[in-house]
């Protein structure tokens, strides 16, 4: 629990220091800082593209967008029985998005948002917060697109906070806190350009990641 009133600036200071906020549930008004001893990261050159995912992306009619419905992605991530996204955290991320420090990578089927990933950017670090899927492979495609975009936009660190079997299967690894802080210090002193590149197509993403034509 924190005794300070959280603001977008204080939130960014927390990320720069290697901590991040959570709530126990959507109905719990208290927010606390988390500083795991082991940290999940997804190397930007280490995404595991399975043959089935690559095939699905090549054949998919879905489109990839950036920041076109940030709150819709956060809503999708919070739309589950157990979530750490309470009202205060929701509002803080919306404010960070408004000032250019929070972003979403989205998968669309026509007018329907099928899945996405959102997170916070600071320097050349991207702190992935959550992802969701309303159709098979949608969140995997969004994550692959995020890795591709961040790599091309000059980012150095993709922080996944914790690691899960799902993230591990996609290439995420767990590192000690001390090593994470070394990577974080270098990344926040550098510059990533999330908004400088347009969204790619899913076919472009899989081509770059599999080095095929």
């Amino acid at each position: 629990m924190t005794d300070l009133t959280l603001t977008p600036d204080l939130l960014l200071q927390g990320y720069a220091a290697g901590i991040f906020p959570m709530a126990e549930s959507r109905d719990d008004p208290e927010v606390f800082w988390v500083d795991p001893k082991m940290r999940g990261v997804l190397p930007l050159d280490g995404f595991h593209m399975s043959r089935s995912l690559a095939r699905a992306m090549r054949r998919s009619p879905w489109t990839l967008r950036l920041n076109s419905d940030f709150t819709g992605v956060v809503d999708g991530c919070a739309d589950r029985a157990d979530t750490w996204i309470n009202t205060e955290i929701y509002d803080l991320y919306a404010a960070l998005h408004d000032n250019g420090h929070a972003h979403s990578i989205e998968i669309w089927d026509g007018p329907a948002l099928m899945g996405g990933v959102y997170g916070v950017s600071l320097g050349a670090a991207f702190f992935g917060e959550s992802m969701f899927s309303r159709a098979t492979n949608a969140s995997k495609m969004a994550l692959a697109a995020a890795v591709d975009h961040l790599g091309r936009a000059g980012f150095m660190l993709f922080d996944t906070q914790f690691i899960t079997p799902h993230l591990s299967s996609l290439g995420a690894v767990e590192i000690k806190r001390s090593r994470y802080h070394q990577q974080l210090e270098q990344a926040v002193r550098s510059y990533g350009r999330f908004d400088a590149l347009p969204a790619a197509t899913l076919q472009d993403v899989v081509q770059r990641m599999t080095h095929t034509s």
Side-chain angles (χ1 to χ4, degrees), residues 1 3 7 16 20 29 38 48 64 76 103 112 114 119 129 140 144 161 170-171 173 184 204-205:
M1 182 173 65
D3 295 327
T7 64
F20 55 89
M38 300 296 293
H48 291 170
L64 174 62
H103 307 281
M114 305 307 294
E129 290 297 325
K140 290 182 181 180
Q161 300 177 346
L170 296 172
V173 296
L184 175 65
D204 286 340
V205 171

Side-chain angles (χ1 to χ4, degrees), residues 17 22 77-78 85-86 130 162 172 186:
M22 293 187 71
C77 293
I85 303 173
N86 68 2
S130 192
F162 301 110
Q186 182 180 8

Side-chain angles (χ1 to χ4, degrees), residues 21-28 30-31 73-80 82-93 118 129-131:
M22 293 187 71
E24 290 291 350
S25 69
R26 68 163 52 85
D27 299 320
D28 189 338
E30 301 292 345
V31 176
V73 173
V74 180
D75 286 338
C77 293
D79 185 19
R80 58 192 68 175
D82 185 18
T83 180
W84 53 269
I85 303 173
N86 68 2
T87 299
E88 183 175 12
I89 288 177
Y90 183 99
D91 292 342
L92 283 166
Y93 287 127
Y118 82 94
E129 290 297 325
S130 192
M131 61 184 180

Side-chain angles (χ1 to χ4, degrees), residues 39-112:
R39 196 71 166 237
V41 297
L42 182 51
L44 294 176
D45 61 353
F47 185 85
H48 291 170
M49 175 74 69
S50 68
R51 290 183 179 179
S52 60
L53 179 59
R55 183 168 57 250
M57 291 177 71
R58 290 190 187 100
R59 297 175 178 177
S60 179
W62 294 345
T63 56
L64 174 62
R65 302 183 195 173
L66 306 175
N67 291 328
S68 69
D69 189 3
F70 178 83
T71 56
V73 173
V74 180
D75 286 338
C77 293
D79 185 19
R80 58 192 68 175
D82 185 18
T83 180
W84 53 269
I85 303 173
N86 68 2
T87 299
E88 183 175 12
I89 288 177
Y90 183 99
D91 292 342
L92 283 166
Y93 287 127
L96 285 177
H97 175 66
D98 289 341
N99 67 24
H101 281 287
H103 307 281
S104 57
I105 301 93
E106 308 150 8
I107 302 296
W108 290 82
D109 183 6

